[in-house]
Amino acid sequence: MSRFLTTNRNIELLEPYEGKLSRTVLRGEGGSNALDLPDNRIARKPDRRKAAVTETSGTKNRVYAVVTEEGVILFSDTPKGMKARNSYLQHLADGFFNVTKVPETLRIYEIDLPTKRVAGLADNCIEKLSKADLRSTDAQLRRSVVNFTSDKFADRSVLDGGVCRAKFDLRPDFHNFDRLTKEFGLGISPRNYDVASLLYISENGYAGIVAADKVHPFSYEYEFRELAEKLGDSMRARMNAPLSAHDFGYAALQKEAKEMAADLLQSEFHITDGEFRLGARISRIERMEMSHPVSYPHSEEEQTGGLPETHYRQEAPEQRMSDSQRQVKHAASITPQKKEKKQLIL
């Protein structure tokens, strides 16, 4: 469903997965090694194949434990328990990019021989089970009432005898989000779709991105429209001159796209370098000043001859200029000049 945001359909570089009609591969300059983008999973359609896998019977009394910083929540190895587990994982995915979220790590344990106490705590998140969910082939509980409040969590003592089978990083990063949602066939909300797309652009550049999704178009398409047109012109120029070593501004445009996406992530979602960071917006101009600081002399330093203060970081010793080499524009003096006394000749 995802397509390149370009004005010319002839340079769209989408190539469908073999055997998977609902997914596409983003083809940028990296060729077949390019990463997948969030796709039509945003429609929250259940992955029937995932559901079939999770419902295969294993050990009769097996219990799964999902562990985060919030605590441990237990699920039985039954169709009801597996759907409840997937509903909890969907709950974590929905809040993946919320700045107030607590979990940063997710672990899944298998407990083959649970104690009576542990078995009794399994599926306690289900407050009211709907029979329609049991008959449904959906991988999650859609009609039942489930609750994931703090009273539903157990302490870590229930993990005795359990084996950790999987670990997921829940920090706000595209790869982390993509792995979690793919592994369990989870849905992607419109907001998470936008954030994941911006994270992808900030890391890989704007090699065409989720602009023509029929379910949920990219909300920041307008911000990248002018840049997309320039990238389209650059790509056409490169195709028209295949023997030229000139990139026709392609690298500079991709750098600008990465910086634009990083700015939006910081200002709109408080995400910087894969971490939540609250604070004022850091613009591209400010980021350039941080990497290339400018010295601003102060009046007291001009009078004393001291080194001027540098914003964000100090100059390297080899970059410092002597007082004779440093050129400073002085303001005109406003002190009145002394008048010469004239003698009166009688």
Side-chain angles (χ1 to χ4, degrees):
M1 298 290 289
S2 304
R3 288 187 177 277
F4 280 88
L5 179 57
T6 56
T7 56
N8 191 340
R9 296 283 181 180
N10 294 329
I11 60 174
E12 292 181 350
L13 303 178
L14 288 177
E15 177 178 333
Y17 267 129
E18 294 182 1
K20 294 185 179 181
L21 300 179
S22 63
R23 296 185 55 83
T24 54
V25 176
L26 176 68
R27 299 290 189 190
E29 292 300 303
S32 60
N33 294 327
L35 296 174
D36 293 348
L37 283 169
D39 53 20
N40 62 350
R41 289 174 291 154
I42 191 172
R44 296 184 175 276
K45 295 179 180 179
D47 191 328
R48 305 296 173 89
R49 290 167 297 179
K50 296 284 185 181
V53 172
T54 57
E55 293 181 10
T56 54
S57 60
T59 303
K60 183 177 181 180
N61 297 322
R62 177 183 294 165
V63 170
Y64 287 95
V66 180
V67 185
T68 66
E69 284 79 359
E70 292 181 315
V72 183
I73 190 164
L74 300 167
F75 303 96
S76 63
D77 189 15
T78 62
K80 173 187 72 174
M82 291 298 92
K83 290 186 177 187
R85 186 194 68 172
N86 290 340
S87 295
Y88 177 58
L89 294 175
Q90 183 66 64
H91 167 74
L92 294 177
D94 290 341
F96 200 93
F97 297 117
N98 290 346
V99 69
T100 57
K101 77 169 186 176
V102 175
E104 289 191 349
T105 306
L106 167 69
R107 291 181 173 86
I108 297 181
Y109 285 76
E110 285 184 6
I111 305 173
D112 287 335
L113 298 173
T115 63
K116 185 176 180 180
R117 169 177 170 263
V118 172
L121 292 173
D123 305 332
N124 68 341
C125 64
I126 304 176
E127 296 186 347
K128 185 178 180 180
L129 180 63
S130 172
K131 292 183 179 179
D133 280 329
L134 296 179
R135 294 191 297 266
S136 172
T137 57
D138 199 305
Q140 301 179 28
L141 297 176
R142 302 294 184 183
R143 301 180 179 226
S144 302
V145 178
V146 293
N147 191 351
F148 304 117
T149 53
S150 58
D151 59 301
K152 304 298 181 182
F153 291 89
D155 56 69
R156 290 180 176 266
S157 63
V158 299
L159 298 177
D160 293 343
V163 178
C164 183
R165 296 299 186 187
K167 179 180 178 181
F168 297 85
D169 191 339
L170 300 184
R171 287 177 295 180
D173 175 82
F174 173 82
H175 302 279
N176 297 339
F177 180 73
D178 190 55
R179 180 183 173 224
L180 177 67
T181 53
K182 277 184 180 178
E183 185 76 16
F184 299 100
L186 305 176
I188 301 177
S189 67
R191 180 181 183 274
N192 286 351
Y193 189 88
D194 287 338
V195 179
S197 299
L198 289 172
L199 285 168
Y200 183 92
I201 297 173
S202 67
E203 182 176 344
N204 302 282
Y206 197 92
I209 191 73
V210 285
D213 192 291
K214 295 180 180 179
V215 179
H216 172 61
F218 184 44
S219 299
Y220 296 92
E221 176 184 355
Y222 179 80
E223 283 79 355
F224 288 92
R225 180 174 298 173
E226 182 179 354
L227 187 62
E229 293 176 354
K230 293 179 180 179
L231 278 168
D233 294 339
S234 174
M235 294 174 67
R236 283 190 291 271
R238 296 176 71 183
M239 287 189 290
N240 292 333
L243 300 180
S244 175
H246 198 279
D247 69 346
F248 299 95
Y250 183 84
L253 290 171
Q254 290 290 28
K255 181 180 179 182
E256 183 179 353
K258 293 178 181 180
E259 293 175 350
M260 186 184 299
D263 283 351
L264 289 170
L265 287 168
Q266 169 60 29
S267 61
E268 302 290 334
F269 306 101
H270 305 289
I271 298 175
T272 303
D273 299 328
E275 299 287 346
F276 287 116
R277 296 182 187 176
L278 293 175
R281 175 175 179 172
I282 302 176
S283 66
R284 280 172 285 166
I285 297 176
E286 291 172 342
R287 189 179 292 111
M288 291 176 62
E289 290 178 352
M290 292 175 66
S291 59
H292 302 287
V294 180
S295 299
Y296 298 97
H298 299 277
S299 58
E300 295 180 0
E301 291 164 346
E302 290 177 6
Q303 295 173 2
T304 58
L307 290 175
E309 180 183 352
T310 303
H311 286 252
Y312 303 111
R313 68 180 185 185
Q314 298 293 330
E315 293 177 342
E318 61 272 15
Q319 294 176 337
R320 294 176 180 171
M321 296 182 291
S322 64
D323 293 339
S324 60
Q325 295 174 328
R326 190 181 301 275
Q327 297 179 357
V328 181
K329 294 181 179 180
H330 294 275
S333 176
I334 60 173
T335 57
Q337 297 179 354
K338 294 182 179 180
K339 296 182 179 180
E340 297 181 358
K341 292 184 180 180
K342 296 182 180 180
Q343 295 181 352
L344 181 62
I345 302 177
L346 298 176

